[in-house]
Amino acid sequence: MGGAALSEKPAPFVRDGKGNRKNRTMQFSALQSSRAKLTLIKGDGLDGVSFTLAGDEHLAGRRDDIPLVFPDDPLLSPLHANFFYRGGRLIVRDENSVNGVYIRIQRPAKLELGDRFLVGEQMLEVRSGRVDPAAYDARDDGTYAYASPHDEADVLLVQILRGGLTGLRYRARRPVISLGREENDIDFPDDPFISGNHAEVAYERGEITLSDLGSRNGTFLRIRGEHPLQHGDYVFMGQQLLRVEIV
């Protein structure tokens, strides 16, 4: 048969009335028009399935009617997060999930009281180490409660255990608190995902900062509301670790 077959791609050029070649504008495919993708990191550290972010927003969670679905992850809320574009940038938003969305920090990050972060399998919360003076008041009959002396500090790190219980409570006695597996202010010797010297929390001039010390598995900070994403960022939610790739 004469002419081009239907399966052939159109030529990348056309000819004008004088026979000269002119470039043809090609149509993008769905994959080409996507601006980013998320790659799931498996337990062995290898890449797993990738999610192409070709739409305007991409809901993630346990529900089966959303594009980024992880039905077997009990730590994800039914609707956990949303990955969407604004002003040409990819942003992740926590959709009021129970367990939050965490970003691996690339540089020192400012902390506020109430912030939570992850080192290895440990979740820690930043609290004030100061005590309300009313706690020392006597009861109505004039009796004071007997207890150990209170060691005040500007910063208190509290370990959050499963079930919402609190574990270790560390009061900062120095401007810098080091965390890791051995020879730190706070050690977790039985956590195989923590490096020897993993991270540190510093307190100076009323500001609290969290820094990763070149750990193998990184330090993850829970976001408040929304957070812009960059190429190479890692997002942790539920039991899922995702790498951001800007196409």
Side-chain angles (χ1 to χ4, degrees):
M1 294 178 60
L6 293 178
S7 61
E8 292 181 354
K9 295 181 179 179
F13 60 87
V14 293
R15 295 185 184 276
D16 60 18
K18 298 180 180 180
N20 299 319
R21 298 201 312 184
K22 298 174 61 178
N23 291 333
R24 179 195 297 272
T25 301
M26 305 297 289
Q27 182 176 359
F28 278 119
S29 66
L31 178 60
Q32 289 170 319
S33 63
S34 67
R35 290 162 279 180
K37 68 176 182 178
L38 302 175
T39 298
L40 184 67
I41 307 301
K42 300 188 294 185
D44 54 9
L46 299 178
D47 290 356
V49 64
S50 291
F51 301 91
T52 300
L53 306 182
D56 292 327
E57 60 178 22
H58 314 81
L59 301 176
R62 219 174 56 244
R63 278 177 18 193
D64 58 7
D65 64 337
I66 56 180
L68 278 66
V69 57
F70 305 92
D72 300 323
D73 189 339
L75 299 182
L76 284 175
S77 296
L79 177 57
H80 197 100
N82 188 6
F83 295 84
F84 63 96
Y85 297 101
R86 179 193 294 141
R89 298 195 66 180
L90 179 63
I91 297 172
V92 61
R93 180 172 62 226
D94 184 351
E95 297 291 344
N96 297 316
S97 66
V98 172
N99 293 310
V101 176
Y102 291 78
I103 304 294
R104 183 172 181 171
I105 62 173
Q106 304 294 337
R107 58 187 62 83
K110 184 178 178 180
L111 298 178
E112 298 179 14
L113 297 180
D115 279 345
R116 292 186 176 186
F117 63 93
L118 300 173
V119 288
E121 292 185 314
Q122 311 304 317
M123 178 184 291
L124 296 165
E125 182 176 297
V126 182
R127 299 180 184 176
S128 172
R130 298 297 177 184
V131 178
D132 183 352
Y136 297 121
D137 291 346
R139 298 184 179 182
D140 293 340
D141 63 358
T143 305
Y144 286 87
Y146 185 80
S148 299
H150 194 286
D151 186 11
E152 289 196 351
D154 292 309
V155 178
L156 175 67
L157 295 184
V158 178
Q159 182 186 29
I160 307 300
L161 304 176
R162 290 177 182 173
L165 302 176
T166 58
L168 173 149
R169 299 168 64 90
Y170 184 87
R171 298 185 182 280
R173 295 177 176 83
R174 299 186 296 112
V176 178
I177 310 169
S178 59
L179 304 97
R181 202 175 56 249
E182 54 191 19
E183 299 182 356
N184 299 277
D185 296 313
I186 305 177
D187 285 328
F188 302 97
D190 299 323
D191 189 332
F193 300 101
I194 289 184
S195 297
N197 302 110
H198 195 107
E200 67 180 23
V201 174
Y203 179 82
E204 184 177 6
R205 299 188 187 94
E207 288 193 354
I208 311 171
T209 56
L210 171 67
S211 302
D212 184 80
L213 300 179
S215 67
R216 180 174 182 179
N217 292 309
T219 301
F220 290 77
L221 176 61
R222 183 171 181 171
I223 68 172
R224 290 177 176 267
E226 299 179 357
H227 185 85
L229 297 172
Q230 301 178 7
H231 180 78
D233 278 346
Y234 285 85
V235 180
F236 186 76
M237 55 184 190
Q239 296 174 315
Q240 314 303 319
L241 178 60
L242 300 159
R243 184 178 67 244
V244 177
E245 298 179 29
I246 306 298
V247 179

